Amino acid sequence: MSSPRILVVDDEPDLRELLEITLLKMGLDVDSAATVREARALLGQKPYALVLTDMRLPDGLGLELVREVAAHHKSTPIAVITAYGSAENAVVALKAGAFDYVSKPVVLDDLRAMVRAALKLSDPAAAPAASQAGDTSRLIGQSPAMQALRAQIARLARSQAPIAINGESGSGKELAARAIHAQSARAGKPFVAVNCGAIPEALMEAEFFGYRKGAFTGANDERDGFFQAANGGTLMLDEVADLPLAMQVKLLRAIQERRVRKIGATVEEPVDVRIISATHKDLSRCVENGSFRQDLFYRLNVIELTLPPLRERLDDLPLLVDAILARLAGPGGARLGPGVLDALRGYAFPGNVRELENVLERALAFADDGVIEVGDLLLKGAKLGDAAVVPQPPQTPVSAAPAPPAALDQAAPPPPLAHDALPSNLPDYLSQVERDIILRALNQTQFNRTQAASLLGISVRQLRYQMQKLDIHAPEP
């Protein structure tokens, strides 16, 4: 069986010879070219497992080769060699379809790692089994939006370029990142997901880059950071917009140099990670208001992947509901009553698939004999696009009864909104409205839960659940 063949394109004879020797020592066959014209001729004659090209050539730009290989030799990865400090050129090449890049002066260990990743990608037999199947099993749906998303994930998995995943909370950003990792040449290496908003600012540097023993009080052992833990694999930075500016500077250097220095260390160590970032915020707007660095934005935002919200793929609801109920109750353990799917289709789902899971899990707790009825859903919203609607108690007064020893304390209802106004936090606002209505119903019925539930058109079990969730307790006698 012949060895994989690499095409090296560079007009510097010394560098070309160094690359050829390094690749030959790896057991590879090598062809070389000094110009774009020579490279095109070789590409037309034989297939290559990898093309490695300089960005500046005597008769053109390596970027031209990148675009041509990406368009006409889709199964061949192409990487670029950039001059020191020319990170902008690398970003442009990655956006044009380059698999990866190395910087001058070329670090041979980095070159070998990149070549090994490219060979896994160009040889399906060498790829891990997970990458063949693709970890898209939890990206459920057959709507046009989801089919397009899966196709885009398959394309992005072939690159090493940083990816910025945009999408609303609960739309599946981490699932998409895991699918990209599982279909890539890095599938056999770690996938590390980090919630940037959950790390105290004082601990961020230690968590990301690690520390040496004795670097600070409490550092009793040497510890690796997220970059070292993900070495060779993928590092997902979730809610990256929450990073403080000081940490953004350090993260930018780590991404550009592909090296990190532990706290207390005197030397940097190389790391090989693919960065996938995600946020529900508009990063470009964060750049405009000064809360996010523009240079880091351009490093992370090389390729964008936007996830559709659930309200834009409601055709996927039956598949999603079946999969979620099978996970929660087992196959055949729960079913939907009449009108439930229609009620779900009429809801906007501001929390997307995560909210759908929450709604179904709560409904299962209320369901009799595993049959979920419309009343079990407790949906706060009305039809898609309408303002949120919360049921109002009937106007018919309850028959007079002796006053209880102490009336239930009633929190002040939220201030009414103007016709065109919107709440700053919809879940909190709806919880306040719901709490106010339940408290009024309980006060009207002298805390008779059966009567209060009847007034509100819900079951006693549903009322108990809502009281527990909203922290409503019986008054002291």
Side-chain angles (χ1 to χ4, degrees), residues 131-355:
S131 68
Q132 300 303 300
D135 188 19
T136 55
S137 57
R138 294 193 65 188
L139 290 171
I140 297 167
Q142 294 301 324
S143 62
M146 288 305 291
Q147 292 184 30
L149 176 64
R150 278 193 286 268
Q152 194 172 4
I153 285 174
R155 290 195 300 272
L156 296 182
R158 293 183 55 81
S159 169
Q160 297 294 303
I163 297 174
I165 301 179
N166 303 312
E168 298 177 5
S169 292
S171 56
K173 294 187 287 294
E174 184 173 337
L175 291 181
R178 289 184 180 276
I180 292 169
H181 172 77
Q183 295 183 63
S184 73
R186 297 175 177 268
K189 298 294 184 177
F191 176 93
V192 177
V194 179
N195 188 331
C196 299
I199 306 172
E201 185 171 349
L203 300 178
M204 275 196 171
E205 187 174 359
E207 291 292 328
F208 274 89
F209 308 133
Y211 53 82
R212 298 291 297 274
K213 181 178 179 180
F216 50 83
T217 303
N220 299 322
D221 296 293
E222 183 167 347
R223 178 180 169 182
D224 287 340
F226 297 135
F227 272 85
Q228 292 94 337
N231 195 26
T234 303
L235 177 60
M236 180 189 179
L237 305 177
D238 199 6
E239 299 304 342
V240 71
D242 293 337
L243 284 172
L245 286 169
M247 189 61 202
Q248 291 178 31
V249 177
K250 296 169 183 175
L251 180 62
L252 175 64
R253 175 173 174 77
I255 294 173
Q256 286 186 166
E257 303 301 326
R258 301 186 182 187
R259 291 176 175 273
V260 297
R261 178 186 288 126
K262 291 182 176 180
I263 297 177
T266 57
V267 295
E268 294 181 329
E269 55 185 285
V271 288
D272 171 30
V273 298
R274 186 187 194 180
I275 300 291
I276 298 180
S277 61
T279 180
H280 70 281
K281 296 181 181 179
D282 186 341
L283 268 188
S284 58
R285 184 167 296 178
C286 293
V287 171
E288 291 174 4
N289 64 32
S291 63
F292 202 83
R293 290 180 61 95
Q294 187 179 52
D295 46 9
L296 180 58
F297 170 76
Y298 287 126
R299 293 299 297 168
L300 295 176
N301 206 54
V302 174
I303 300 175
E304 286 189 64
L305 178 66
T306 301
L307 301 190
L310 181 55
R311 61 182 173 275
E312 293 181 5
R313 55 183 191 100
L314 293 176
D315 290 346
D316 293 331
L317 266 176
L319 290 173
L320 285 166
V321 169
D322 288 346
I324 292 170
L325 290 180
R327 190 165 69 248
L328 294 175
R335 62 186 189 276
L336 304 182
V340 172
L341 268 179
D342 290 336
L344 292 172
R345 287 192 182 99
Y347 183 59
F349 284 105
N352 293 290
V353 179
R354 184 185 296 123
E355 183 179 8

Side-chain angles (χ1 to χ4, degrees), residues 8 54 76 85 112 170 175 192 217 219 229 269 277 287 293 318-319 346 361 389 392 425 439 443 463:
V8 174
D54 195 5
T76 303
R112 295 186 189 101
L175 291 181
V192 177
T217 303
E269 55 185 285
S277 61
V287 171
R293 290 180 61 95
L319 290 173
E361 186 171 10
V389 175
Q392 299 291 329
N425 187 314
L439 286 171
N443 276 325
L463 178 62

Side-chain angles (χ1 to χ4, degrees), residues 7-11 16 20 31-36 38-39 42 57:
L7 174 58
V8 174
V9 188
D10 198 294
D11 62 329
R16 197 165 62 240
E20 290 175 1
D31 289 336
S32 61
T35 64
V36 173
E38 291 177 16
L42 288 169
L57 297 164

